[in-house]
Every structure is written in structure tokens, then in C-alpha cells.
Amino acid sequence: GDVIQALQQKTNHVPYRNSKLTFLLRDSLGGQSKVMMVVNASPHIENISETLSSLSFASRVRSVELGQPHPLIRSNIK
């Protein structure tokens, strides 16, 4: 949640290294990229805690709007 919150607030420092996943995805989480989040929810009662945690995180991520994407302008390189 730290990275998503930092991106939303447009802070100078985005803590990508707080998580292995966000560190690996750092190039895909900012700039002009689009991100889709998929949440895996388990129907088993023994996984209820993890499922609720995942759904809570997904709800927080869903409320984030990072802005409109900008078109990528490519130059003709010969």
C-alpha cells in the first residue's frame, strides 16, 4: 500500500523497495503505464484472513487515480 499511496500523493520518494513485488514492478507502476490488479479470493474458511486482507488492499488500490495516461510520442529513427 505504501507505493500506491506515494504515487497517488505524488511524493518525491516512492518506496518501491518496501516490497519485493513492488521493487520488481517499479517500471510498470509509474509513468505512463497502465496497471490491472487481480485478486485471488479463497472460498476456504482457513484462508479467510488472507482473503479479507487481499480484498481490503484491492479496495484501497481501486480508489487511487494516478491521472490520465499521456500518449507516447516516438520519433522516426533511421
Side-chain angles (χ1 to χ4, degrees), residues 53-74:
S53 176
S54 296
L55 291 173
S56 174
F57 178 72
S59 178
R60 289 195 321 264
V61 169
R62 184 176 184 211
S63 68
V64 172
E65 186 174 321
L66 299 177
Q68 294 296 318
H70 301 285
L72 179 62
I73 300 172
R74 296 178 188 232

Side-chain angles (χ1 to χ4, degrees), residues 3 14-20 22-23:
V3 170
V14 180
Y16 292 113
R17 292 182 184 225
N18 284 7
S19 158
K20 289 180 183 179
T22 56
F23 182 72

Side-chain angles (χ1 to χ4, degrees), residues 3-37:
V3 170
I4 300 298
Q5 184 176 12
L7 289 170
Q8 180 183 24
Q9 295 175 352
K10 298 180 182 4
T11 61
N12 290 334
H13 173 70
V14 180
Y16 292 113
R17 292 182 184 225
N18 284 7
S19 158
K20 289 180 183 179
L21 180 61
T22 56
F23 182 72
L24 290 172
L25 295 175
R26 67 188 176 277
D27 293 334
S28 300
L29 293 173
Q32 298 183 24
S33 60
K34 289 186 177 184
V35 177
M36 181 177 77
M37 182 174 175

